[in-house]
Amino acid sequence: MSKRKILHFVVLSLITLLLTINWTSVVLGQFPIAIPSGNTSIRTETPWWDPNKAQRCGRLWCSEVHLFGGLDKTFRVAVAPDALENPSDAPFEVEKRAKQVESIYNSIYDRVRKSELMFQGNIVQSPFGAIANWQNLFFNRDNLGKHPATPKIEIGIRNNQTVVFVPRQLELGLSAQTIVTINRADSLYQGKLIEDIAKEWRFLIFESLNEALWAYEIDYHYPFARFGVAIAILLIVAIPVTILAVIKQLLKVWNRHLSGQLRVLKESLTVDAEALSSDELASSDTIDQNKENIQVNRQKVKLNRGIIISTFKKVIDRPDKALAKAKLLLEDAVQNISQNLPNLSLKKQSIIKRQKNILELFLGLLFWIQLFLILLALTLIILIFPETRRYTYFFLGQSIAIPLIWMFANIADKLSNIFIDFYLNKWAKNAQISNPNSNRYILRVSTYSNALRSGTSFLFITAATVTTVLFLGINLTVLASAGGVAFVVAFLSRNVVEDMLNGILILWTDRYAIGDVIQIGTIGGFVENMNIYITQIRGSEGRLVTIPNSKISIVENLTKDWSRVEFKIEIAYDADVRKALNVINEVSEEIQNDPTWKDKIIEPASILGVDNISHQGVLIQVWIKTQAMQQWAVGREFRLRIKEAFELAEIPIGVPHQEVKYQTSLSNENQ
């Protein structure tokens, strides 16, 4: 069994074991083992956005009751599952109890607002009238005292239970009605006596109604005041949000510029080699040599005037010797710089990626700052209106906690990208020392960086998604038990796991990297992109082919470490073979010594000799070992020179020969 199949089997076995342990129900045998409490299986199906959603409070279930007024006008009611006939109904019962308390409270408030006593006090006349600090009506109304229409709230005993109720008050349109009943579960949760809890809740309900009526008073006289404050908050927050948006746009422009530089650097090391012709390579080498000469000259120590004059005299006296020495110096400088080119490219790539990572981190931070400013504005607006103020804490918990989860995941992802590129570049620099002329490590850094980035991004997104689902209270067991969903997830996971495992093996064994030219079956071309799941190949016609990594088994890499020109030529059957071999050898030495091509050819050409003899002619084969990605340019130049050399040496190219015999019949001969 191959190493790849063994790894597949081990990983799939571990995943199956984990799924079996976590997603299957517990089956109890006939042994007297300890049975877990029934409360552990009780769950609530209420959606996360419901403010009255039940929450577990130890052995009890609790639900929040939201009243009008300030942020502190809330209390919790509790239900003990053991006190119910069906303990699994505890979440539903406690939510029902909280909603019932709110419904009674809201009905009392609505009837009081419509009573005749509501506006008899005539206290609120103008913003700068009897109440000088009128803005306190929005938030703090403790100094205003009791509103004329605030109803009485009392404590009593009904059906042998302590209750908080509103007595009969005909002037306010109220009949006697129980608001909330305090039971043993409330006492257990609060850790207080039932009488003390009743006093606290009575005072809380009275204060909330008093503040709500004062809020209604100001809204009645000045109905647009709160809307004006809300608009002012939006305008104030819009200023920093707009400034941050402009800064983000500038950083995005800079990031695109760095991406362009990185793309040009990668293309200069990979894809251009196949496309350039011999003339283009020669002209580019000439330009590079000129640039390198300038850099070499700048690095020279400044010569004093006497040395310059003596050198000038030597050039005049022996110009041939001076030119020969200058040529040797120039060739040495060009060779040194070309050998250090991979190191320079690696350093430049490292600097650009570091700048991109920092920019992406800042872009992410600016986005989250904008989002939190918007959420802050919405929180303040919710706080202004008395109808929504009681849900402020709930809004903060749901709308800020979830973005915080994703913000931390996003920042962790960006920081992991910085560490990935840092350690990959460190590894590449150390590995480059052993093979300074190869650009293989530059390609591997780009490939590993993309793959590891996509892998860490997937992990952080998965972790943030699971955390969000758990925070919202969604039951993962319910999702997993859905037959269709479980089947789809299992089917997709199988393919994804296979792609991931084979992708990891491809990266680990360095079969190919971004920038290589490969052949996978009938598909071949330039590796434009890859990660641990897919490989994208750009064909000769410009078509982008995407292949899942699990479908890749046999790969032909045409550009790893070094490449080879496989040159075959067929000369005429009656041509001088030894003369042809000598001409090929001369052309090989000529291109090997050419400054334009000597750095692209690793070893002298291997003339294999006569490879085949047929009626078409004599086949001669030559191998030329070149730098990676240079076999196409070197091959084109070599073929051109061979063609010109054969024409000068009058060596004919092989032509298929066919012999046709014509024989007349006997009847024709007799005639």
Side-chain angles (χ1 to χ4, degrees):
M1 187 180 291
S2 65
K3 194 180 296 183
R4 173 187 167 194
K5 291 183 178 179
I6 294 174
L7 184 59
H8 281 195
F9 177 77
V10 172
V11 174
L12 290 175
S13 301
L14 290 175
I15 293 174
T16 304
L17 178 62
L18 292 175
L19 293 177
T20 304
I21 293 174
N22 292 317
W23 283 3
T24 56
S25 59
V26 178
V27 180
L28 300 179
Q30 300 300 319
F31 298 99
I33 60 175
I35 301 176
S37 174
N39 293 344
T40 57
S41 61
I42 301 176
R43 299 183 182 274
T44 175
E45 304 300 332
T46 305
W48 61 270
W49 58 81
D50 191 339
N52 301 116
K53 181 178 175 66
Q55 300 175 1
R56 184 178 290 278
C57 304
R59 295 177 59 87
L60 306 174
W61 281 88
C62 305
S63 179
E64 221 37 84
V65 176
H66 301 272
L67 307 177
F68 290 121
L71 299 177
D72 57 340
K73 301 301 185 289
T74 60
F75 61 89
R76 282 189 172 188
V77 295
V79 167
D82 298 336
L84 303 175
E85 293 182 2
N86 187 3
S88 61
D89 292 337
F92 172 76
E93 291 296 331
V94 75
E95 292 170 359
K96 178 182 176 181
R97 185 184 174 200
K99 292 180 186 294
Q100 186 177 9
V101 173
E102 288 185 2
S103 176
I104 296 172
Y105 172 86
N106 292 336
S107 66
I108 294 172
Y109 173 70
D110 291 336
R111 279 179 288 184
V112 171
R113 284 193 311 169
K114 300 174 183 177
S115 67
E116 297 178 356
L117 294 178
M118 184 63 204
F119 302 111
Q120 286 183 0
N122 199 21
I123 297 177
V124 180
Q125 297 177 354
S126 66
F128 304 100
I131 303 174
N133 196 16
W134 70 274
Q135 60 267 27
N136 286 340
L137 291 175
F138 285 98
F139 304 106
N140 184 15
R141 287 170 288 277
D142 295 337
N143 298 328
L144 298 177
K146 179 179 177 296
H147 192 277
T150 303
K152 297 178 181 179
I153 306 295
E154 297 180 357
I155 301 173
I157 302 295
R158 292 189 179 181
N159 299 325
N160 295 325
Q161 289 185 313
T162 303
V163 297
V164 177
F165 70 100
V166 56
R168 183 179 181 184
Q169 301 172 66
L170 297 178
E171 68 278 8
L172 296 175
L174 298 175
S175 59
Q177 188 176 13
T178 300
I179 300 175
V180 59
T181 301
I182 299 92
N183 56 28
R184 181 174 172 272
D186 299 322
S187 178
L188 290 174
Y189 172 70
Q190 300 285 346
K192 301 177 183 178
L193 297 175
I194 292 178
E195 292 76 10
D196 295 336
I197 297 174
K199 291 178 182 178
E200 291 180 4
W201 287 4
R202 173 202 168 276
F203 178 78
L204 192 64
I205 293 172
F206 177 82
E207 286 295 318
S208 66
L209 286 172
N210 188 55
E211 291 190 13
L213 293 174
W214 279 121
Y216 182 73
E217 186 92 9
I218 186 67
D219 290 340
Y220 179 82
H221 290 281
Y222 309 103
F224 300 106
R226 300 183 193 275
F227 290 100
V229 175
I231 293 173
I233 291 174
L234 290 176
L235 292 176
I236 292 173
V237 173
I239 295 174
V241 170
T242 304
I243 294 174
L244 292 176
V246 174
I247 296 174
K248 278 180 59 179
Q249 191 62 32
L250 295 176
L251 293 179
K252 286 181 180 179
V253 173
W254 189 9
N255 192 30
R256 285 195 295 267
H257 175 68
L258 292 176
S259 300
Q261 286 185 339
L262 192 61
R263 185 173 58 255
V264 169
L265 179 62
K266 292 179 181 178
E267 291 176 353
S268 66
L269 294 172
T270 55
V271 69
D272 286 347
E274 183 179 0
L276 287 177
S277 63
S278 302
D279 296 336
E280 289 172 333
L281 280 170
S283 62
S284 63
D285 288 340
T286 304
I287 295 173
D288 292 340
Q289 288 179 2
N290 293 334
K291 291 181 180 179
E292 292 164 358
N293 293 340
I294 294 173
Q295 293 176 357
V296 171
N297 292 332
R298 288 177 179 176
Q299 293 174 358
K300 294 294 184 181
V301 181
K302 292 183 179 180
L303 301 176
N304 56 38
R305 186 176 180 182
I307 297 176
I308 294 175
I309 294 174
S310 61
T311 304
F312 184 72
K313 290 181 178 179
K314 291 179 180 179
V315 171
I316 295 176
D317 295 338
R318 296 290 303 273
D320 53 344
K321 187 176 181 181
L323 289 174
K325 187 174 182 180
K327 183 178 179 181
L328 292 175
L329 291 174
L330 182 60
E331 289 180 355
D332 292 339
V334 172
Q335 185 175 3
N336 291 333
I337 293 178
S338 63
Q339 290 177 352
N340 294 326
L341 185 59
N343 288 326
L344 297 175
S345 300
L346 185 60
K347 291 179 181 179
K348 187 176 181 181
Q349 178 178 267
S350 173
I351 294 172
I352 294 175
K353 282 195 171 184
R354 190 183 305 118
Q355 293 175 349
K356 276 181 60 63
N357 290 332
I358 295 174
L359 275 179
E360 290 174 357
L361 179 61
F362 276 114
L363 286 172
L365 289 175
L366 291 177
F367 168 77
W368 291 112
I369 292 174
Q370 284 181 302
L371 180 61
F372 281 114
L373 286 175
I374 295 173
L375 292 177
L376 176 62
L378 294 177
T379 303
L380 293 176
I381 293 173
I382 291 174
L383 194 61
I384 288 173
F385 293 92
E387 294 82 6
T388 58
R389 186 178 303 152
R390 55 181 174 174
Y391 300 119
T392 302
Y393 284 143
F394 176 78
F395 176 79
L396 287 174
Q398 300 293 337
S399 65
I400 293 184
I402 294 176
L404 276 175
I405 294 173
W406 287 93
M407 183 190 73
F408 286 127
N410 181 261
I411 293 176
D413 185 26
K414 301 302 180 185
L415 290 176
S416 67
N417 291 341
I418 294 176
F419 284 112
I420 286 171
D421 288 335
F422 173 77
Y423 285 107
L424 282 178
N425 286 312
K426 184 178 180 180
W427 164 79
K429 288 178 182 177
N430 295 332
Q432 192 78 40
I433 298 174
S434 60
N435 193 5
N437 296 327
S438 175
N439 65 348
R440 184 69 193 170
Y441 299 105
I442 303 174
L443 303 181
R444 294 182 70 180
V445 164
S446 302
T447 305
Y448 292 172
S449 177
N450 291 343
L452 293 175
R453 279 167 173 249
S454 61
T456 54
S457 297
F458 176 78
L459 291 177
F460 285 120
I461 291 174
T462 302
T465 303
V466 173
T467 306
T468 303
V469 170
L470 294 176
F471 178 81
L472 296 178
I474 300 175
N475 190 356
L476 292 176
T477 307
V478 175
L479 294 178
S481 61
V485 175
F487 175 77
V488 172
V489 170
F491 181 77
L492 294 179
S493 299
R494 179 181 63 84
N495 295 332
V496 169
V497 169
E498 289 181 359
D499 293 337
M500 181 182 66
L501 291 176
N502 204 31
I504 293 173
L505 287 175
I506 290 172
L507 295 174
W508 184 263
T509 56
D510 190 27
R511 299 181 191 176
Y512 56 86
I514 295 176
D516 279 332
V517 178
I518 63 174
Q519 186 77 28
I520 302 176
T522 59
I523 301 172
F526 175 77
V527 180
E528 190 168 287
N529 185 30
M530 71 169 295
N531 51 41
I532 58 176
Y533 304 107
I534 61 169
T535 297
Q536 292 183 320
I537 300 175
R538 181 76 66 177
S540 58
E541 298 179 357
R543 289 176 295 186
L544 184 64
V545 182
T546 301
I547 307 174
N549 286 338
S550 60
K551 305 299 182 182
I552 299 174
S553 56
I554 300 176
V555 182
E556 299 179 28
N557 194 333
L558 306 180
T559 57
K560 183 178 179 181
D561 296 330
W562 54 271
S563 301
R564 174 183 287 161
V565 177
E566 187 178 13
F567 175 77
K568 295 180 180 180
I569 187 170
E570 206 164 28
I571 62 175
Y573 185 85
D574 55 351
D576 190 343
V577 177
R578 296 191 181 278
K579 181 179 180 181
L581 293 174
N582 291 332
V583 171
I584 293 174
N585 186 47
E586 292 175 359
V587 173
S588 301
E589 293 179 354
E590 178 184 345
I591 195 172
Q592 175 75 25
N593 297 325
D594 193 325
T596 303
W597 301 97
K598 63 184 300 184
D599 294 331
K600 298 175 176 58
I601 300 175
I602 299 177
E603 297 177 357
S606 299
I607 303 175
L608 303 182
V610 177
D611 226 32
N612 189 26
I613 299 175
S614 66
H615 67 93
Q616 295 182 355
V618 180
L619 180 65
I620 300 175
Q621 186 169 354
V622 180
W623 283 353
I624 305 176
K625 188 175 182 180
T626 68
Q627 298 286 353
M629 301 291 294
Q630 299 297 328
Q631 68 266 39
W632 295 286
V634 173
R636 291 168 186 145
E637 179 67 17
F638 187 75
R639 293 184 187 93
L640 175 62
R641 298 193 181 195
I642 287 292
K643 199 265 183 187
E644 294 174 347
F646 274 23
E647 287 179 352
L648 291 176
E650 297 181 351
I651 299 175
I653 301 298
V655 178
H657 291 277
Q658 185 175 8
E659 183 177 350
V660 179
K661 293 183 178 181
Y662 176 76
Q663 184 175 2
T664 60
S665 61
L666 294 175
S667 59
N668 292 335
E669 291 179 356
N670 295 331
Q671 292 177 0

